[in-house]
Amino acid sequence: MVALDSGKHTVVPAPSPRTARRPRRRQRHVGWVFAGPAAALFALFFAYPLGASLLQSFTAEDAGSLRWVGLDQYQRLLHDPAFADALVNTGLILVMQVPVMVGLALLLAALLNQSWLRFRGTWRAVHFLPAVTTLVAYAVVFQVLLKTDNGLVNQMLGAVGLSPIDWLNDPTWARVSLILTLTWRWTGYNAVILLAGLQSIGKEQYEAAALDGASTFTTYTRVILPQLRPVVLFCVITSTIGTLQLFDENYVLTRGGPDDATLTPVVYLYKVGFQQFDFGYAAAIAWVVVALIAAISAAQYFAFGRERRR
Amino acid sequence: MTRSPGSFVGRLFVRALLLVGAVVSLVPFLWMAIAATHSSADLFHSPPPFLPGGRLLDNLSRLQETIGFGRVMVNSVGIAVVQTVLSSLVSAMCGYGLAKYRFRGRGLVLAAVLATMMIPFQVLLVPLFQMMASVGWIDSYQAVILPFLANSFGILLMRQGFVGFPDELIESARVDGCGELRTFYRVVLPCVRPQLGALVIFTFMAAWNSFIWPLLMLNSEDKYTVPVALNTLTGLSRVDYSGLMLGSLLATLPLMALFLLFQRQFVAGLLGGAVKG
């Protein structure tokens, strides 16, 4: 993950003969000249609203006045069928889309990593291109592609003798559509990250495996993949976090419908907060999302981490 | 005893798979470009159009009429440019401060950077909205831009770039009587151009793609950004599909151009956080 090594690399100017004369105290404040603007922005637009949101999740609005309700909002969430739907949808995407996409990305990265392949840069760029589309624009394009009456995809299905599919209006197919859309956009992105991981693995490893008579497949599964684990973990965690925060795609594609089949926690948060103006409840939803992200990321980290220690 | 890396059939197979992936990646773009030049009705004819048609200008003028596309595009460019310049500056400065100075509260700043990275922006939606409402900034550009100026990804990216920067150079600039800020702008910043390039591209992309926040902040149509305007088109009872495709194409082209021009920095930036681990 992000290499932070906090402090370790922070180089305090070495007390060379010249600087030793410099008053040290000055150094103690100069840092703020640079970090100050960012710190002020963080305080104003992050720390303050974060605290406000937490407090808000323990309140409810009654006839225009705020009331402290403790954990009521969170309890309400426990019994909210729409929120349950949103969680189920997110869970489905997590168990279906994320592994498929990371698997495809691994395959793609391995293909792009072939040293004999010509125009590697071009191949890579083509596969990466979906990741540089405007989020809303690609959702719009898929909406048109997947249109039930004579959309391009249904026409292609018709050409091979299949009946049209009601992609965006049938609950099951709407989920499939969302999964396909997400996979289209993010596979190449993850592949590029994995490819960089592959390239950081020394050439001699492939050669050694080849000398031992290992097939390409065995080389990848037995020798390369285990070393790639931290990068795979990075892709899995970022994709998971992305899924838990999903909004743009399904909001534009289906508005969370049909029948909440593509509702996600953030689309629900948006509806509760900005269509029903139930701010306390929206804040509770937001904090449950935070808790889920923390819990799932930690679980994935430890699951992968334990195997590594073996 | 050097083994050739893969047999002829194996190589062909690899190329075939890559080609399939490339087709899947590219077809939506091609369709977007073709569809932008036809009328909406043509898009759903059987068989669908495979070649560009002659309705591009029609679609463009209709797009201009319905959502004021030119204006919306100018808004998006303006917001993205201002956000990119300011945010890159703030991030670079903070990254430098964290990399090269020890100061009281440094740990706190670093903690804030990490926390913003881990906590989803959606948590802040409601309180930020209320903040903006209470100062009367709803429907203003500053409300769209300000919350994103301190960008933790950018700060960490720049910090990585500065950590390896030789202190001797900074020292000698100081000895020559160059002030701290001037040292930063004149001596240090020009040396981390690759990271800065990656940061600029990423910030621009993020600003260009931003959807939920501008959707909440902007009310008047003449202030909409491209994604918000496109979204209003999808919600209509009679959707103008070819207009939508043209709008999507025009919304995507700047990012594609940026990517094709700066591929190297782009990938480097992408990996700034990823692979070191």
Side-chain angles (χ1 to χ4, degrees):
Chain A
M1 296 251 344
V2 186
L4 276 171
D5 34 67
S6 63
K8 235 191 309 173
H9 279 278
T10 314
V11 186
V12 183
S16 68
R18 277 181 185 172
T19 45
R21 258 176 271 134
R22 242 185 135 68
R24 300 287 282 162
R25 209 182 310 132
R26 204 183 142 198
Q27 290 290 325
R28 294 223 161 263
H29 303 292
V30 177
W32 276 110
V33 173
F34 295 101
L41 286 162
F42 275 132
L44 203 56
F45 297 112
F46 177 71
Y48 168 74
L50 193 69
S53 152
L54 189 60
L55 285 180
Q56 204 162 32
S57 74
F58 300 120
T59 65
E61 205 166 337
D62 275 337
S65 66
L66 280 181
R67 192 165 53 89
W68 186 265
V69 295
L71 291 172
D72 280 9
Q73 301 283 23
Y74 292 92
Q75 263 173 356
R76 195 176 142 200
L77 265 179
L78 282 178
H79 307 288
D80 183 340
F83 189 65
D85 282 341
L87 288 184
V88 168
N89 295 330
T90 305
L92 277 175
I93 296 173
L94 279 181
V95 295
M96 292 175 57
Q97 194 258 338
V98 173
V100 168
M101 179 189 63
V102 174
L104 281 174
L106 267 170
L107 176 69
L108 188 57
L111 296 177
L112 289 169
N113 194 35
Q114 301 303 313
S115 53
W116 50 264
L117 189 70
R118 299 181 75 194
F119 310 115
R120 271 199 291 177
T122 312
W123 283 114
R124 194 183 62 192
V126 166
H127 286 93
F128 190 79
L129 221 44
V132 292
T133 48
T134 310
L135 283 165
V136 168
Y138 97 95
V140 162
V141 170
F142 273 82
Q143 202 184 40
V144 178
L145 283 172
L146 295 172
K147 205 165 120 49
T148 305
D149 310 320
N150 280 331
L152 188 68
V153 174
N154 273 348
Q155 288 206 35
M156 286 180 356
L157 288 179
V160 292
L162 295 169
S163 49
I165 291 172
D166 198 5
W167 290 103
L168 297 173
N169 303 314
D170 175 83
T172 309
W173 286 114
R175 288 193 183 121
V176 173
S177 303
L178 183 60
I179 286 174
L180 288 176
T181 310
L182 288 169
T183 307
W184 179 78
R185 178 152 202 272
W186 295 106
T187 303
Y189 175 91
N190 284 294
V192 169
I193 293 178
L194 291 165
L195 178 63
L198 281 178
Q199 286 172 348
S200 68
I201 295 172
K203 219 177 171 184
E204 32 336 311
Q205 309 239 12
Y206 298 89
E207 283 160 9
L211 276 178
D212 288 343
S215 67
T216 313
F217 183 74
T218 325
T219 309
Y220 271 99
T221 50
R222 291 296 179 80
V223 182
I224 305 303
L225 204 55
Q227 297 183 57
L228 206 59
R229 189 170 272 139
V231 190
V232 175
L233 175 66
F234 176 84
C235 287
V236 169
I237 289 184
T238 49
S239 306
T240 302
I241 293 178
T243 303
L244 287 164
Q245 300 187 30
L246 198 61
F247 178 83
D248 298 14
E249 284 90 344
N250 55 337
Y251 182 73
V252 176
L253 209 54
T254 56
R255 293 283 190 272
D259 277 345
D260 290 349
T262 57
L263 189 72
T264 55
V266 180
V267 172
Y268 190 48
L269 184 164
Y270 176 84
K271 287 184 169 174
V272 167
F274 299 102
Q275 286 171 6
Q276 299 159 18
F277 298 103
D278 192 345
F279 289 145
Y281 198 37
I285 296 172
W287 279 95
V288 171
V289 174
V290 173
L292 282 174
I293 288 179
I296 293 182
S297 306
Q300 282 172 341
Y301 184 77
F302 284 119
F304 274 79
R306 195 171 346 129
E307 278 206 47
R308 255 175 102 193
R309 249 175 264 134
R310 206 173 34 184
Chain B
M1 227 189 93
T2 44
R3 224 182 79 140
S4 84
S7 63
F8 177 73
V9 179
R11 290 180 179 198
L12 214 60
F13 186 61
V14 168
R15 286 202 183 93
L17 283 180
L18 281 175
L19 193 66
V20 170
V23 169
V24 172
S25 294
L26 289 180
V27 160
F29 289 108
L30 286 178
W31 179 240
M32 186 158 74
I34 292 171
T37 63
H38 287 273
S39 72
S40 284
D42 286 348
L43 298 187
F44 304 108
H45 267 169
S46 177
F50 292 111
L51 293 171
R55 304 292 287 270
L56 184 67
L57 293 179
D58 280 4
N59 291 337
L60 195 61
S61 67
R62 212 173 53 255
L63 207 57
Q64 176 61 24
E65 251 168 57
T66 46
I67 56 172
F69 196 79
R71 169 78 210 181
V72 164
M73 202 74 173
V74 169
N75 294 344
S76 262
V77 171
I79 289 176
V81 167
V82 170
Q83 190 172 322
T84 303
V85 170
L86 292 180
S87 162
S88 301
L89 203 63
V90 169
S91 303
M93 284 175 69
C94 185
Y96 181 67
L98 289 175
K100 291 297 181 195
Y101 294 95
R102 267 192 197 287
F103 53 95
R104 196 166 296 174
R106 181 176 164 279
L108 201 67
V109 176
L110 205 57
V113 170
L114 287 182
T116 43
M117 230 172 165
M118 285 181 226
I119 288 183
F121 173 70
Q122 291 84 358
V123 179
L124 313 177
L125 274 180
V126 168
L128 272 181
F129 179 87
Q130 290 172 323
M131 270 174 80
M132 296 305 175
S134 68
V135 292
W137 279 2
I138 302 278
D139 210 22
S140 75
Y141 295 134
Q142 68 266 31
V144 175
I145 295 170
L146 274 172
F148 297 98
L149 288 190
N151 159 12
S152 35
F153 170 82
I155 292 172
L156 292 179
L157 187 76
M158 293 312 292
R159 182 175 171 271
Q160 287 294 342
F162 290 127
V163 159
F165 189 84
D167 293 309
E168 292 77 16
L169 277 176
I170 304 174
E171 276 306 309
S172 58
R174 270 188 202 136
V175 170
D176 290 345
C178 195
E180 303 289 335
L181 274 172
R182 228 173 78 131
T183 307
F184 175 67
Y185 289 115
R186 289 292 172 83
V187 180
V188 185
L189 210 49
C191 293
V192 290
R193 223 172 264 155
Q195 282 92 346
L196 203 59
L199 176 63
V200 163
I201 294 166
F202 266 81
T203 321
F204 187 88
M205 268 193 83
W208 189 262
N209 275 335
S210 181
F211 176 56
I212 187 170
W213 186 242
L215 179 72
L216 282 173
M217 280 299 107
L218 302 174
N219 299 330
S220 38
E221 283 174 21
D222 65 326
K223 285 186 179 154
Y224 280 172
T225 58
V226 175
V228 177
L230 285 181
N231 174 62
T232 63
L233 276 182
T234 66
L236 302 174
S237 51
R238 263 205 61 183
V239 181
D240 171 13
Y241 286 104
S242 57
L244 261 180
M245 297 299 264
L246 177 62
S248 306
L249 180 70
L250 293 175
T252 302
L253 281 179
L255 291 186
M256 279 171 70
L258 207 64
F259 167 67
L260 293 174
L261 278 174
F262 299 103
Q263 241 198 90
R264 199 171 291 259
Q265 273 101 324
F266 196 88
V267 173
L270 194 69
L271 303 171
V275 180
K276 288 247 160 164

